[in-house]
Amino acid sequence: MIITKTPEEIELMRESALIVSKTLGMLASEVKPGVTTLHLDKLAETFIRDHGATPGFLGMYDFPNSLCMSPNAQVVHGIPNDTPLEEGDIISIDCGALKNDFYGDHAYTFEVGEVSPEIKKLLEVTKESLYIGIREFKVGNRVGDVGFAIQKFTEDHGYGVVRELVGHGIGRKMHEDPEMPNYGKRGRGKKFTEGMVVAIEPMTNLGTRHIKQLSDGWTILTRDGKPSAHFEHNVAIVNGKPEILSTFAYIYEALGITSDEEDEFRQKALVL
């Protein structure tokens, strides 16, 4: 069952989403060669709690940490550990926070030092596919419209779109209806209505779409061992149109990046 949100609830969800955004922004300047993912996880937990929220992933389905940290060929759900990051790595950092009984949940794939042009292009295309999908999240459209748009854009660039893992509705629970696949057919699936809030999160592989799971029961990798990218935003339908509740602006501020990619999805100015 899809649970639509009131305008007041959407504003509470924006608070939760922005705590995640600020956490990722804090981590942006910490992601560098020699740093361990377990160290980054501890920084994130402290930061989230200091901002009046609870880590959303910690203990959920018995997950042991506050962040999902997935480097290189890991797609999602990687468990933080003591292995240092290396120059040329990429790492998806997926973060959740619970505040005012509502969850925020989004992700960004960071470059560790200098990465190859091939990997940089993978990240650019995957992030662009996120916004292409968000444009389709509006009243009257359906789940398949979002998935089709993401799939076509990424496959046109020769990348594999993961099928087994999908985005989702979000609210008082981390995972609500509807599921939001990154593939599909136009006009298929549940219809979007005012007040829906979802997490849209393309997961794109440099090689094939096929994946496998490690024996830890969590970590998902590409089957061919090639890198994977993952970007995620929380998005509400407000006045019939997509409104991004999360932001990458804190990341860009930390990294000295100028971007207007989110402007079309904001009906009110974002104050940093």
Side-chain angles (χ1 to χ4, degrees):
M1 181 181 71
I2 295 173
I3 304 171
T4 58
K5 313 303 188 292
T6 66
E8 293 76 17
E9 288 173 329
I10 287 173
E11 290 309 306
L12 291 176
M13 293 195 68
R14 192 190 307 272
E15 285 188 42
S16 300
L18 288 178
I19 287 174
V20 177
S21 300
K22 292 174 182 177
T23 305
L24 293 175
M26 177 274 296
L27 292 172
S29 58
E30 301 291 336
V31 174
K32 61 189 71 172
V35 173
T36 69
T37 52
L38 192 58
H39 173 71
L40 297 175
D41 181 75
K42 291 175 181 176
L43 290 178
E45 179 178 356
T46 299
F47 187 91
I48 291 168
R49 294 189 189 281
D50 285 349
H51 284 75
T54 302
F57 297 165
L58 184 61
M60 179 173 286
Y61 313 125
D62 294 325
F63 188 74
N65 294 89
S66 298
L67 299 175
C68 293
M69 307 283 280
S70 309
N72 302 321
Q74 293 185 18
V75 182
V76 288
H77 302 163
I79 298 174
N81 58 46
D82 286 321
T83 303
L85 297 174
E86 297 183 1
E87 182 80 19
D89 285 347
I90 56 172
I91 183 160
S92 161
I93 302 183
D94 195 354
C95 179
L98 175 65
K99 185 177 182 181
N100 299 321
D101 296 323
F102 287 99
Y103 282 95
D105 165 31
H106 52 284
Y108 191 91
T109 300
F110 292 88
E111 301 174 16
V112 183
E114 291 294 324
V115 304
S116 71
E118 183 182 41
I119 299 301
K120 192 177 286 285
K121 182 68 179 294
L122 172 69
L123 301 188
E124 290 172 353
V125 169
T126 305
K127 183 152 66 70
E128 180 62 25
S129 77
L130 170 61
Y131 295 109
I132 285 171
I134 289 171
R135 288 190 190 103
E136 301 296 323
F137 182 59
K138 55 189 176 183
V139 167
N141 273 9
R142 294 180 179 271
V143 166
D145 296 313
V146 173
F148 174 84
I150 293 172
Q151 179 183 12
K152 185 177 189 311
F153 183 75
T154 51
E155 288 185 349
D156 282 352
H157 283 84
Y159 300 136
V161 178
V162 174
R163 306 292 182 93
E164 295 86 348
L165 303 157
V166 298
H168 51 90
I170 187 170
R172 294 183 186 274
K173 294 183 179 179
M174 177 69 77
H175 300 109
E176 297 183 352
D177 285 338
E179 291 190 343
M180 297 290 295
N182 298 303
Y183 63 95
K185 295 183 177 180
R186 287 202 176 279
R188 301 285 182 88
K190 295 181 179 180
K191 184 177 285 188
F192 300 137
T193 59
E194 184 74 13
M196 286 181 65
V197 185
V198 299
I200 298 176
E201 50 178 319
M203 290 157 269
T204 305
N205 300 341
L206 185 63
T208 72
R209 68 176 180 84
H210 300 293
I211 60 173
K212 61 182 180 180
Q213 188 175 45
L214 287 184
S215 59
D216 62 19
W218 283 103
T219 307
I220 304 294
L221 302 104
T222 59
R223 195 180 298 174
D224 59 13
K226 293 184 178 180
S228 182
H230 174 216
F231 292 87
E232 177 182 14
H233 270 312
N234 296 156
V235 194
I237 295 182
V238 178
N239 299 321
K241 301 183 295 185
E243 168 85 2
I244 294 181
L245 305 182
S246 50
T247 183
F248 295 150
Y250 297 101
I251 295 171
Y252 296 158
E253 184 179 39
L255 299 179
I257 297 172
T258 301
S259 173
D260 61 359
E261 65 193 15
E262 298 176 3
D263 290 357
E264 66 179 285
F265 306 111
R266 295 204 181 280
Q267 300 176 42
K268 60 170 69 175
L270 176 70
V271 178
L272 291 181

